[in-house]
Amino acid sequence: MKLRVRINGADHELEARTDESILDVVRRELGLLSVRETCGIGVCGACTVLLDGEPVSGCLLLAPLADGREITTVEGLGGDDPVQQAFSDAHAFQCGYCTPGMILTAKRLLEETPQLTEDDVRAAMSGNLCRCGSYVKIVEAVLQAANA
Amino acid sequence: MSDPRATGSARYAEDFELPGMLHARIVRSLFPHARVVRVDASAVPESCIVLTPDDVRDLSPYGCQIEDQNVLAERARHVGDPVAAVAAPTPEQAEEAVPLVEIDYEQLPAVFDAVEAAQPGAPLLHETAAAGGAAAYFAMRPQPGTNICHRFRIRHGDVDAGFAEADAIVERMYRIAGAQHAHMEPHACVAHWDGNRLELWTGTQTPFSMRDDLATIFGIPPEAIRIVSLPMGGSFGAKTFVRTEAIAAALARKAQRPVKLVLPRSEEWQTLNRHPATVTVKLGARADGTLVASQTTCYADTGAYADCGPGVAQKMGFAAPGPYRIPNVRVDAYCVYTNLAPNGAFRGYGQMQSTWARERALDTLAEQLGLDPVELRLRNIVRDGDVYCTGETLHDVRFAECLEAAAAAVRWSEGRRGKGIALVMKGMQTPSRAAIAIERDGDDYVLRCATTEMGQGAKRALSLEAARLLGVDVARIRFPDPDTSLVPYDTRTTSSRSTYMMSRALAEAVRDPRGYGEIRNEGGLDPDTGQGIASTHWHQGAAAADVEVDEETGKVTVTHLHTTTYAGRVVNRLGAELQTEGSMIMGLGTALFEEVAFEDGQVINANLSDYATPSFADVPTRFTYELIEEDGADVHGLGETALPPVPPAVGNAVASLGIEVDELPLKPETVLAAMKVRV
Amino acid sequence: MHEPEWLAPASLEEALALKAERTDATVVAGGTFVGILVNQHLLAPTAFLSLGGIRGLRFVAEHEGELRLGALATHRAVELSPLVREKWPALARAFSLVASPRVRNRATVGGVLGDADYASDPPSMFVALGARVVVQSRHGAREIPAEELIVGYYETSLAPDELIVEVIVPGGPHRAAYRKFRTRSHEDRPSVGVAACARDGGLRVVVGAVAGRPQYFPELCTGEPASIAQAYAEAIDPIGDISGSSEYRRRVIAVEVRRALEEIAA
């Protein structure tokens, strides 16, 4: 099928199968390699993308469900986004594989809830896994971005 | 501009591609032990390349410490043992081809428990002992006619006489479940042949071991192989030695095209896990708490192939007595084959298992003697200049400091109900060798060394150290991905050795006019007596935990977790903190719930929903640690130190409530069962 | 592999017609459960019937004192709705405990009931609250009590041509609780889920994640909390798996049902 989707601010018409995930499409068609498959069952959050601004699991989102909508990956934040900056400053990563998903989840969290406590961050981010265990510094980064 | 990890521009082994490459999948055994009678690939489309045992008959068996594994199995020894492989133009086509390869099996008797497998008469996995592998740094002691592929012993003093003079003796058996590394990026590699030269891009902690093992397998000189170790999305020991690379290379040889192999998540549990273990500890002490004898028997379940299991069992054994003065010590550690998936290196490397057993036994002994567990430990703790049961003298010893700091962190002196502490004494790869070359490129310095990056921050640490030694800004240091054709030999990036060893090699290189530095640490142990030098450098730490137990369900909540580790001189502050935090969190998973579950040899929780790993909300509300630092001291490895003491600190905290649990993980169900026999 | 057809009706009528004609099609609402099955190659349908284009099924509203949830309302919409939080707080809580915000942003009210996943949190809460599920086919609509919708593992009492269109939750004064007991990580699925609701009409206690369908025994819902809990523990034959053995779950049922009842009595 032809998928019409706005990705990181640009309109695209992409080749996609109805039974493939948006993760496979953006990696293959656009080389957006920050969207990564770890668990493949929506548990870990390494594949997080924003769909019309809301975080969703890219590994579960059948490509046609993105038709006519807007997808944001971490590449679309440009690099100077306050959340990206806060993660860099707090060094809130080790291997970095989960980081794009963490940043996108945090981004939406900060829009929704500008006044955040440490507990809010932990609760809201808990569905994103980091096997390196960088959680403490990720919470610091999100709180830093909230106060930026 | 933000760090590449934050912008999405970071690249990993999984992202590597070559033009015209094929995509591979592995066809795996459905049975735990079976002879492969027939492989029929006639239904596979012609666009696919199929690799069957016939195609690899010219290849030599491999194994980093024992060469007991074939590239494809003609006798499958575990569920998931690779029997064939396919390569196709797309990953989807490769996946579709897998079920089209028909395999007939003749089933054989299987064994799934290491203690059972070690007994005479158990079904044998490998009838004859294979040759030692390139990465074996000690003599193997296989026990003929059994599944024991290595036995390690410590004989120090007279244990029987020691127990005879003891006023109190504790003897208990401890079991530790297997675990999965669950590194977020799967195993991924690309193999390519250029005539008789093999090039391989892979996420590996052990580029030179990989090169040497592949040279053995393909019967070509090591110089004809180039390994590039790409950044890894986590490893924790999983991406060591040959995992999928030999199959990718054999497929590429047959296809005459590059082949990429990325493991599907579920196959990670069939590729490598952490050794399940059974450890029996017997401790004897005088009434005043002075330890007089220690006896440990370890069974490390290495699964179907030895991999580095002999080393794991040996370290489990030599770390078992712990940082205590004990005049009489006996250790027997066995590395045992079973029909489970291979078990290998895992953060903590065998020492987590024996640390759990010993530190739990010490608390039981303290209880029996009516002594405070901290007091009991302090009374026996090793000090600078003491001689360990291996005969080596210990230097720069900080155990007492670590222990006292950890106890203070949980306000031990104000009452110890719900609290537990534990110590770890962890060895580092000995002997080993590290080398580095510094090249000048305009204003920049290029570090050529084999230290690999898996998220532990080695590149950052060594770049900072180079900048400091050279007196230049760190922005002028470049650190390309290790390429065995360009970098000098290094043993491997394991056992928390790299910052320690490589920073010393770096200092040599800065002094050397040619910019080359090399460091060796010499030593090793006699496997029959355990005498020699186990480790030229010991990692030292303590953990303390404060817990609550739901007495009706057995659920344990850790309300405060603390570790104190001896850091020596810290090179990379943030890296040291992150590695410590990560070790503690991984230790918590091991303590509370991580477990590879089997049914008839088949893993039944091979996905990240049924295999749980710690999340944000699992980090205790109070989560603290300190690094004991010393200016001008040696750099101390920190990649693993804070992991092994966490499970026993939690277990001891639970025991302080009268609930003695001998088994890891401390699942609610296990804790509840222990409460029924509450003391 | 053949590419599945993507059927995307723009209206409920069209969707019901397709549901009747295309019995081969897999229904997709938020697509999280179907996404897992397809991504893991456990499902390869010939066609998908996507409901996302249907307008008017996303409502979260109060009507004549009852809560009405459109089948396409997301978990997140229910969880965050000020209306639900104020008047049906236990329902908001049950939805808030499902998986992660990523999943809750997509997963729908109709989906979580239609999938009939034994370990989902909301179905038990719906049963405890006495919810009715409105289902519709070309021939008309009917209401099914929530406890009669899920009949076994991944199995419902829906006719092949029916779709869930709405869930109605009775209003009025009530006290309800949802307790999710996990044995491992905080992100784990429940080992035992307990939903309870007390209102004038009586008490409803429902236990989830322990059997193919939410466990509800009206005849056991009278007496003291501890005795009801004990009766539930004896009446249920719990599954055993990685989240807890059958024996252990029975024990937890006795504890958690009592705690849920104490919670609503407090």
Side-chain angles (χ1 to χ4, degrees), chain B residues 245-459:
Chain B
E245 290 84 356
I247 292 173
L251 270 168
R253 185 179 72 156
K254 184 169 182 186
Q256 294 290 302
R257 287 170 69 177
V259 168
K260 180 171 185 172
L261 177 45
V262 179
L263 279 189
R265 180 56 48 180
S266 63
E267 293 180 23
E268 293 289 350
W269 280 263
Q270 300 179 323
T271 301
L272 201 77
N273 296 305
R274 183 180 70 199
H275 286 74
T278 302
V279 181
T280 303
V281 175
K282 184 177 177 187
L283 294 175
R286 293 211 190 91
D288 67 356
T290 307
L291 291 169
V292 289
S294 156
Q295 181 176 319
T296 311
T297 310
C298 309
Y299 291 90
D301 180 339
T302 205
Y305 302 102
D307 199 79
C308 63
V312 170
Q314 185 151 323
K315 286 195 178 173
M316 198 181 295
F318 78 59
Y324 308 103
R325 293 170 172 160
I326 314 173
N328 306 295
V329 174
R330 180 152 69 200
V331 175
D332 295 84
Y334 301 99
C335 183
V336 189
Y337 290 124
T338 67
N339 292 103
L340 298 180
N343 297 304
F346 191 109
R347 202 179 206 175
Y349 205 83
Q351 290 142 108
M352 186 284 292
Q353 290 93 325
S354 54
T355 300
W356 162 255
R358 176 195 67 242
E359 292 294 312
R360 284 285 303 109
L362 275 168
D363 265 40
T364 304
L365 181 67
E367 171 80 24
Q368 202 169 313
L369 289 164
L371 285 175
D372 179 316
V374 170
E375 268 311 305
L376 174 67
R377 285 175 175 81
L378 283 175
R379 192 158 302 179
N380 295 285
I381 209 153
V382 290
R383 310 274 176 179
D384 229 44
D386 277 354
V387 176
Y388 192 52
C389 58
T390 51
E392 68 205 82
T393 304
L394 303 172
H395 301 289
D396 203 7
V397 174
R398 302 300 182 100
F399 290 107
E401 221 175 307
C402 290
L403 177 63
E404 282 167 337
V410 293
R411 297 200 290 246
W412 187 265
S413 57
E414 294 171 27
R416 51 187 167 93
R417 224 183 126 66
K419 296 173 189 171
I421 47 109
L423 276 170
V424 63
M425 172 175 180
K426 190 191 161 294
M428 188 198 75
Q429 175 71 38
T430 303
S432 81
R433 179 175 140 197
I436 190 165
I438 304 173
E439 285 171 15
R440 223 30 222 273
D441 182 12
D443 283 345
D444 288 354
Y445 294 86
V446 183
L447 304 186
R448 299 277 181 206
C449 87
T451 296
T452 62
E453 183 59 51
M454 56 195 128
Q456 86 281 34
K459 281 193 174 180

Side-chain angles (χ1 to χ4, degrees), chain C residues 2-13:
Chain C
H2 183 76
E3 183 175 349
E5 230 179 305
W6 186 263
L7 307 170
S11 69
L12 181 58
E13 292 65 37

